[in-house]
Amino acid sequence: MTKDPFVTHRGLLFTVAYEMLGSATDAEDVVQDTWLRWDAIGEDARAEVRDPRAFLVRMVTRKALDRLRSNARRREEYVGEWLPEPLLTAPDVADDVELAESVSIAMLTVLETLTPTERAVFVLREVFDTPYGEIAEVVGKSAAAVRQIGHRAREHVAARRPRMDVSRDEQQEVVERFLAAVTQGDLQGLLDVLAPDVVLVADGGGIVQAVVNPVMGAKKVANLLRPFNRLAPEAQILSVLLNGTVGARIVGTDDGYDTAISFVVEEGRISRIYAVRNPAKLGGLDVEATISRSHAV
């Protein structure tokens, strides 16, 4: 029996939706809506689709665009900083350097600064190598206009994306030094592993305690983190793969410290820390997400 194309490409569809939305929950909803629409067109109509993969990617992208636009007001009213929903990922995602960068919290945070149309064009073209003609059908613009949008989006992202050119082993070593310093309350150890201009961004969603504004500078970040072992002595800080790179998870505490932490490491030091504390964004971290960069067409 031939496998349904939706099932074959479900990982790809989720990845497109997630990179568009920055939310695993919303991405799953969009993928489910895509399945319902795909199923509703009927078996005979599905059999006539020349390229099911491209058809499904167009469908999921349109639905993600609609969701992204409808979420705009909710994002504006969000309490504090809004960060993407983290994913627990398998080692094979980390092994694909381009895929790992495209789903990193750092990159998804940059994509939040694009318009919905710019984001769709960037994701489909730069991540999934979709032809301009196909993208034009998705966003309802000419291929020439899509090229211009893509150029603008690439420049915008290039000016804001952090350099992520360290190996997994180097990232692991730096993150472990950071975690050791945090668990020991070692101020000098923190200062040694943090870049002078490090930025810490936390997302509590107004539900749990978190710094509302980004904390900038090694001394301020170190002083913020130093009391952790005293405030949450029962907590465990574990090294995990989040969004294709080495991150950390705080677990084992009833004091509201459950957190997923992603890092950007540059030149042997941590330059960005993204701490997701909103409980609504941590529910899916017990199961590895299915991420795929199979070309959309």
Side-chain angles (χ1 to χ4, degrees):
M1 183 176 179
T2 303
K3 198 172 186 179
D4 189 289
F6 178 88
V7 176
T8 300
H9 302 300
R10 195 185 192 287
L12 169 63
L13 300 178
F14 173 81
T15 307
V16 171
Y18 177 70
E19 294 203 25
M20 282 288 299
L21 296 165
S23 165
T25 303
D26 284 348
E28 286 288 0
D29 288 346
V30 164
V31 170
Q32 182 62 24
D33 288 346
T34 301
W35 158 250
L36 294 174
R37 179 72 185 94
W38 171 252
D39 185 59
I41 67 176
E43 185 175 351
D44 292 340
R46 290 196 298 271
E48 295 297 319
V49 175
R50 181 180 59 83
D51 188 340
R53 180 169 54 180
F55 182 88
L56 287 164
V57 167
R58 288 196 298 271
M59 189 183 296
V60 81
T61 305
R62 288 189 185 112
K63 290 185 178 297
L65 265 172
D66 290 343
R67 179 65 66 95
L68 191 60
R69 288 166 177 147
S70 69
N71 284 350
R73 182 63 179 272
R74 190 173 63 185
R75 297 277 175 87
E76 291 174 0
E77 297 173 347
Y78 197 80
V79 178
E81 295 290 322
W82 187 95
L83 288 175
E85 185 177 341
L87 298 177
L88 185 66
T89 50
D92 65 319
V93 177
D95 292 338
D96 185 332
V97 177
E98 290 184 5
L99 177 60
E101 181 177 6
S102 75
V103 299
S104 69
I105 295 295
M107 175 59 80
L108 294 173
T109 302
V110 173
L111 295 185
E112 283 295 313
T113 64
L114 297 173
T115 68
T117 299
E118 287 172 342
R119 187 166 185 167
V121 172
F122 183 88
V123 167
L124 290 178
R125 182 62 187 174
E126 300 303 314
V127 181
F128 299 102
D129 199 27
T130 307
Y132 287 112
E134 292 284 345
I135 301 173
E137 289 186 41
V138 173
V139 300
K141 296 184 181 295
S142 69
V146 165
R147 286 178 182 274
Q148 291 181 338
I149 293 169
H151 177 73
R152 186 168 64 243
R154 281 194 302 275
E155 288 189 335
H156 182 95
V157 171
R160 292 162 177 79
R161 74 197 304 174
R163 293 197 345 249
M164 301 180 67
D165 54 2
V166 300
S167 68
R168 193 200 309 181
D169 288 343
E170 181 181 354
Q171 176 103 0
Q172 182 81 50
E173 188 270 333
V174 172
V175 169
E176 287 180 354
R177 284 170 53 207
F178 170 83
L179 298 183
V182 170
T183 55
Q184 294 165 18
D186 180 358
L187 180 61
Q188 188 57 51
L190 285 168
L191 292 172
D192 289 343
V193 78
L194 297 173
D197 58 351
V198 63
V199 178
L200 181 150
V201 181
D203 175 353
I207 300 172
V208 297
Q209 184 177 2
V211 290
V212 176
N213 298 310
V215 180
M216 303 180 184
K219 288 184 178 179
K220 289 184 178 179
V221 172
N223 283 323
L224 176 70
L225 298 174
R226 185 185 184 186
F228 176 79
N229 66 332
R230 176 173 53 81
L231 296 173
E234 302 301 319
Q236 288 182 292
I237 310 181
L238 309 174
S239 176
V240 293
L241 286 175
L242 295 176
N243 292 70
T245 190
V246 179
R249 179 83 189 276
I250 301 175
V251 295
T253 172
D254 296 325
D255 300 324
Y257 283 99
D258 192 12
T259 308
I261 310 171
S262 296
F263 305 91
V264 175
V265 173
E266 298 178 90
E267 299 179 353
R269 289 185 167 187
I270 293 170
S271 61
R272 295 288 185 276
I273 301 173
Y274 303 99
V276 178
R277 307 203 59 243
N278 184 344
K281 297 184 178 183
L282 301 175
L285 287 177
D286 295 327
V287 179
E288 289 180 352
T290 302
I291 297 293
S292 171
R293 198 166 60 98
S294 300
H295 285 171
V297 294

